[in-house]
């Protein structure tokens, strides 16, 4: 090695090390910040009231700090979106794997990636100006801001990821297994639903977990589409508010730093962090399980 | 000796432009074992897979000629390929049990095909038919993947038997197995011979000699010689056959 290339090599090593350190520092600071501000919040509001209270009005008098309406809003979007994106993703992956020629595949895969690359604010706009009007023709009573259109665009956003991960999962199922099934007189629907999907089960679960994390954290689209009305409801035609949308609302408003209103942002952020963290842990547990189970 | 239950007439199989099986005429008798031998790449697997339409899943495959099962062309327009595969079962080179329990591996085929059956009875009968019952009867609900390679292969045979086919195609069924498992499969084939028409592809000359009644020798997609195994192995008509069998192949 020449001295120059050696120096470059060393330099590169330290650069990488620095990047790793920065990542660590950022993560730790986020956790410290969230903990600090949250503890300030919890010195005024009991944990139980926050976690189980059914009213969320921190910006209005009388103030109320029950986070359940925001959790309800978030999970409405999440379940709605996954409920649509998972079946759609299974269909897309099945088509790509079992029916599409290599040529068709080479068009669809990049198209999916484009879908994944669209800025989320565009999806929010799309929901407001396109999805909601269509929904209105079917459900005239729908509100301008509503959970349904939010869930639909989030579904479109996570679809590429689900489809692509499930597709990888399907590809990992050995051809021999499919042939074994076809050799017993199965048709392609039976092979896909009873052999390929179960054999790719862990991968599909991992895809769903990742998609849930993504949907929970989704911000701009749901802020624009689903509104800012924290409430506990099961009606997707109404306006709701998600945890992320609340954070946007407060941080883009003129709430004074240091007050309890301001701390709510951190405490909601901390809750989001805990939920996504748990999803990732679950995802890792699922993925580390031995590949195939007996029943 | 009976008439062929399965036969091919002027069968050619192409992958795109290249021809892997060339104008082959051949009959497989019921309740007997036919060995298909020949050097690597001579078209044995291609021929075998043409016999129950497993080539349908490979893009660019083209079939010419006929495969007749009980006097019906299995490539005929009115033929349901799934029905063909129910009657003509297949055992693959590498054991490929489903990632399910032993029990469920057996009943899966009959179930999806809507057969009426008593599952416990069918499982026992099929496993006995594949000489696996004694070894697994206490763990029928364990994963099939926990079995040894040889046991997995016998499970795959049991799974094929459960469909009550008339013909069972085996593509090098012992090539992934140790000598002891190979022996048990060979004994099993000897037993199964009483009930099924078996076509087995093998690279192992001793195996062909031990298990088969008839032998077909292929070279480069052509059927070079077909006849009673005894004759092929002791006094073949064709010098290429002799060279191959005695290992003098160039
Ligand atoms: N899927 C495929 N696409 C294109 N050509 C193929 C395909 N499968 C096999 N072939 C070609 O067809 C010819 C016959 O292959 P086949 O697998 O039938 O041989 P084989 O006698 O079974 O060989 P082996 O003993 O190695 O298993 C070979 O030249 C092979 O390269
Ligand atoms: Mg082969």
């Amino acid at each position: 090695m020449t001295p120059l290339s050696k120096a470059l090599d060393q330099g590169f090593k330290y650069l990488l090390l620095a990047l790793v350190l920065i990542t660590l520092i950022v993560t730790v600071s986020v956790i410290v910040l969230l903990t600090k501000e949250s503890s300030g919040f919890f010195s005024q509001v009991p944990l139980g009231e926050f976690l189980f209270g059914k009213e969320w009005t921190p910006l209005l008098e009388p103030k109320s700090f029950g986070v359940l309406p925001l959790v309800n809003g978030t999970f409405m979007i999440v379940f709605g979106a996954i409920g649509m994106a998972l079946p759609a993703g299974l269909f897309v992956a099945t088509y790509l794997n079992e029916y599409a020629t290599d040529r068709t595949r080479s068009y669809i895969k990049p198209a999916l990636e484009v879908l994944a690359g669209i800025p989320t604010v565009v999806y929010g706009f799309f929901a407001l100006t396109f999805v909601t009007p269509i929904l209105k023709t079917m459900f005239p009573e729908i509100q301008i801001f509503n959970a349904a259109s939010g869930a639909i665009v989030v579904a479109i956003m996570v679809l590429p990821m689900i489809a692509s991960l499930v597709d990888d999962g399907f590809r990992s199922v050995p051809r021999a297994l499919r042939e074994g099934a076809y050799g017993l007189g199965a048709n392609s629907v039976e092979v896909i639903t009873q052999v390929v999907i179960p054999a790719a089960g862990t991968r599909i679960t991992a895809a769903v977990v990742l998609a849930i994390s993504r949907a929970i954290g989704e911000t701009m689209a749901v802020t624009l589409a689903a509104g800012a009305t924290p409430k506990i409801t099961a009606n997707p035609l109404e306006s709701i508010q998600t945890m992320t949308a609340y954070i946007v609302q407060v941080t883009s408003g003129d709430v004074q730093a240091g007050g309890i209103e301001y701390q709510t942002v951190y405490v909601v952020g901390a809750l989001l962090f805990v939920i996504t963290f748990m999803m990732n842990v679950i995802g890792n547990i699922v993925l580390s399980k031995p590949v195939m189970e007996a029943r | 000796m009976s008439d062929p239950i399965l036969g091919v007439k002027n069968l050619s199989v192409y992958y795109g432009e290249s021809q892997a099986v060339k104008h082959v005429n051949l009959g497989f008798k019921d309740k007997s074992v036919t060995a298909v031998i020949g050097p690597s790449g001579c078209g044995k697997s291609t021929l075998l897979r043409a016999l129950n339409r497993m080539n349908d899943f490979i893009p660019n495959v083209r079939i010419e000629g006929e495969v007749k099962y009980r006097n019906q062309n299995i490539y005929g327009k009115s033929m349901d390929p799934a029905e063909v595969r129910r009657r003509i079962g297949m055992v693959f080179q590498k054991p490929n049990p489903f990632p399910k329990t032993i029990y469920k591996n057996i009943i899966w085929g009959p179930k999806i095909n809507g057969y009426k059956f008593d599952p416990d009875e069918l499982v026992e009968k099929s496993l006995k038919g594949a000489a696996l019952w004694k070894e697994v009867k206490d763990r029928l609900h364990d994963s099939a993947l926990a079995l040894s390679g040889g046991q997995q292969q016998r499970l795959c045979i049991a799974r094929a038997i459960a469909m009550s086919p008339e013909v069972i195609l085996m593509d090098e069924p012992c090539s992934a197995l140790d000598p002891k498992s190979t022996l048990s499969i060979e004994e099993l084939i000897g037993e199964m011979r009483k009930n099924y028409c078996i076509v087995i592809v093998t690279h192992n000359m001793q195996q062909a000699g031990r298990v088969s009644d008839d032998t077909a020798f292929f070279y480069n997609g052509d059927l070079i010689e077909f006849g009673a195994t005894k004759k092929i192995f002791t006094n073949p008509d064709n010098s290429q056959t002799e060279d191959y069998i005695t290992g003098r192949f160039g």
Side-chain angles (χ1 to χ4, degrees), chain B residues 6-26:
Chain B
L6 180 68
V8 301
K9 272 209 182 118
N10 198 18
L11 181 77
S12 294
V13 184
Y14 301 82
Y15 293 106
E17 291 304 304
S18 86
Q19 188 172 6
V21 171
K22 299 172 183 166
H23 308 286
V24 169
N25 291 287
L26 191 54

Side-chain angles (χ1 to χ4, degrees), chain B residues 12-52:
Chain B
S12 294
V13 184
Y14 301 82
Y15 293 106
E17 291 304 304
S18 86
Q19 188 172 6
V21 171
K22 299 172 183 166
H23 308 286
V24 169
N25 291 287
L26 191 54
F28 304 100
K29 291 190 223 91
D30 199 7
K31 306 196 194 319
S32 94
V33 178
T34 305
V36 177
I37 61 170
S40 190
C42 70
K44 305 180 295 295
S45 299
T46 306
L47 170 81
L48 204 69
R49 295 167 61 91
L51 299 179
N52 72 342

Side-chain angles (χ1 to χ4, degrees), chain A residues 262-286:
Chain A
Y262 192 69
Q263 287 170 338
T264 55
V265 171
Y266 288 94
V267 79
V268 170
L271 183 61
L272 263 178
F273 182 83
V274 169
I275 296 176
T276 0
F277 184 75
M278 281 183 338
M279 290 315 299
N280 287 339
V281 170
I282 295 172
N284 279 322
I285 292 174
V286 171

Side-chain angles (χ1 to χ4, degrees), chain B residues 85-240:
Chain B
R85 295 182 204 116
R86 272 167 228 151
R87 316 269 25 123
I88 306 177
M90 189 154 212
V91 175
F92 299 83
Q93 182 166 356
K94 253 186 76 202
N96 58 349
F98 301 128
K100 301 177 192 288
T101 63
I102 295 171
Y103 194 92
K104 287 191 174 169
N105 261 278
I106 306 277
I107 62 174
W108 193 80
K111 207 166 94 191
I112 56 153
N113 287 297
Y115 287 12
K116 298 241 175 305
F117 61 97
D118 172 345
D120 290 345
E121 205 175 285
L122 179 75
V123 168
E124 180 169 348
K125 200 180 111 211
S126 309
L127 287 171
K128 280 183 172 159
L132 189 59
W133 174 249
K134 278 194 199 125
E135 290 156 67
V136 302
K137 65 173 187 292
D138 297 323
R139 45 173 173 148
L140 295 176
H141 298 285
D142 287 359
S143 171
L145 302 181
L147 297 174
S148 74
Q151 290 172 327
Q152 287 189 10
Q153 193 63 303
R154 275 178 285 151
L155 177 63
C156 292
I157 294 175
R159 186 173 74 177
I161 292 176
M163 294 293 298
S164 31
E166 289 188 293
V167 182
I168 299 181
L169 311 172
M170 302 184 175
D171 194 348
E172 301 185 46
C174 302
S175 68
L177 306 181
D178 64 281
K180 190 160 161 278
S181 307
T182 299
L183 189 68
S184 66
I185 303 257
E186 284 182 13
E187 282 169 5
L188 176 59
I189 293 171
E191 278 300 308
M192 290 168 64
R193 189 178 159 270
K194 296 173 194 151
N195 301 308
Y196 304 94
C197 162
I198 295 175
V199 184
I200 177 172
V201 169
T202 178
H203 273 285
N204 180 330
M205 288 308 110
Q206 287 82 24
Q207 181 169 74
R210 282 192 298 263
V211 303
S212 70
D213 302 285
D214 295 304
T215 296
F217 170 63
F218 280 81
Y219 183 63
N220 211 358
D222 290 307
L223 174 61
I224 303 295
E225 187 166 353
F226 176 58
T229 300
K230 269 208 192 83
K231 173 154 192 322
I232 299 268
F233 274 76
T234 53
N235 185 21
D237 292 333
N238 189 294
S239 62
Q240 273 179 304

Side-chain angles (χ1 to χ4, degrees), chain A residues 158-169:
Chain A
V158 296
L159 174 64
M161 186 175 78
I162 294 189
S164 158
L165 287 173
V166 173
D167 178 52
D168 293 345

